[in-house]
Amino acid sequence: GESVGLHLPTLSVQEGDNSIINCAYSNSASDYFIWYKQESGKGPQFIIDIRSNMDKRQGQRVTVLLNKTVKHLSLQIAATQPGDSAVYFCAENSGGSNYKLTFGKGTLLTVNP
Amino acid sequence: EAQVTQNPRYLITVTGKKLTVTCSQNMNHEYMSWYRQDPGLGLRQIYYSMNVEVTDKGDVPEGYKVSRKEKRNFPLILESPSPNQTSLYFCASSLYATGNYGYTFGSGTRLTVV
């Protein structure tokens, strides 16, 4: 598969542990945030989103936390599985006339069996 | 199945030989966009389209062209490819041109220009 994440921050966890992936975003005016998962050789896949009027949102095994004061976003994955191994990106809607998502550089999550 | 389809998946070409990467979505999405992904630089927007016949430059448009003659198709054209356009390219679409909706991405096109 392709290597899409050279020089990335990495997180290595044991299967069954909880994972926390962090992201600092840049634009205080951003009002919508998304976490994407990218497996080797594939396009980014939507995981969960959150709007700026919320500070927490839960999905299946995933939780996103938003701290607008310090412009910080985190993704928590419960009971991490080998299939969770991937690069994870946060993205923000930085507004303007172009509905554009600005992506972070990504974090490589490796789950050890 | 709702999806964004890109072709080809892999392409090796020579400098200066015009090429087109196709992108098609079957979700009746208004918004479509092209990104390139490079190590250490992440995903950067090349061009986007808010709707049919409405296109505009993203952050790294130099050397690329696009067209949006139909809602479902958004081809990326490299008139005279150069080695610095070697990259992994993704097409993405979103339901509406404004508002907060996530992108659906294609599977990517790995382009090598020699």
Side-chain angles (χ1 to χ4, degrees), chain A:
Chain A
E2 280 107 350
S3 173
V4 298
L6 297 181
H7 316 299
L8 287 178
T10 58
L11 175 64
S12 184
V13 301
Q14 291 298 123
E15 182 178 359
D17 287 351
N18 297 332
S19 303
I20 300 176
I21 301 171
N22 296 304
C23 176
Y25 63 91
S26 57
N27 190 336
S28 56
S30 293
D31 58 3
Y32 179 60
F33 306 88
I34 309 175
W35 279 100
Y36 283 92
K37 171 186 180 183
Q38 187 175 24
E39 297 174 274
S40 183
K42 297 184 179 180
Q45 179 184 10
F46 176 96
I47 302 174
I48 191 168
D49 59 359
I50 188 168
R51 304 186 192 283
S52 60
N53 61 352
M54 303 171 69
D55 53 21
K56 179 179 180 180
R57 189 160 188 231
Q58 289 184 290
Q60 189 174 21
R61 280 203 308 119
V62 294
T63 300
V64 54
L65 299 177
L66 174 63
N67 185 332
K68 295 183 287 294
T69 303
V70 295
K71 293 190 288 186
H72 183 267
L73 200 62
S74 69
L75 177 70
Q76 301 178 359
I77 304 173
T80 315
Q81 302 166 0
D84 294 327
S85 294
V87 176
Y88 290 81
F89 296 94
C90 64
E92 61 183 298
N93 176 0
S94 45
S97 58
N98 167 17
Y99 167 48
K100 182 178 79 171
L101 290 181
T102 300
F103 290 84
K105 298 293 190 289
T107 297
L108 175 61
L109 174 66
T110 301
V111 182
N112 303 307

Side-chain angles (χ1 to χ4, degrees), chain B residues 8-34:
Chain B
R9 286 294 311 274
Y10 301 91
L11 179 60
I12 300 174
T13 191
V14 296
T15 299
K17 185 177 181 182
K18 181 179 178 180
L19 65 92
T20 300
V21 184
T22 64
C23 174
S24 180
Q25 50 92 5
N26 61 0
M27 298 166 281
N28 202 35
H29 283 179
E30 285 186 355
Y31 184 92
M32 298 185 74
S33 182
W34 278 101

Side-chain angles (χ1 to χ4, degrees), chain B residues 54-78:
Chain B
V54 181
T55 64
D56 209 344
K57 298 176 181 178
D59 297 321
V60 288
E62 292 77 21
Y64 305 95
K65 287 175 57 178
V66 293
S67 69
R68 188 94 180 270
K69 294 184 171 60
E70 312 163 275
K71 199 171 188 179
R72 63 182 293 126
N73 295 323
F74 190 46
L76 179 69
I77 303 157
L78 284 72

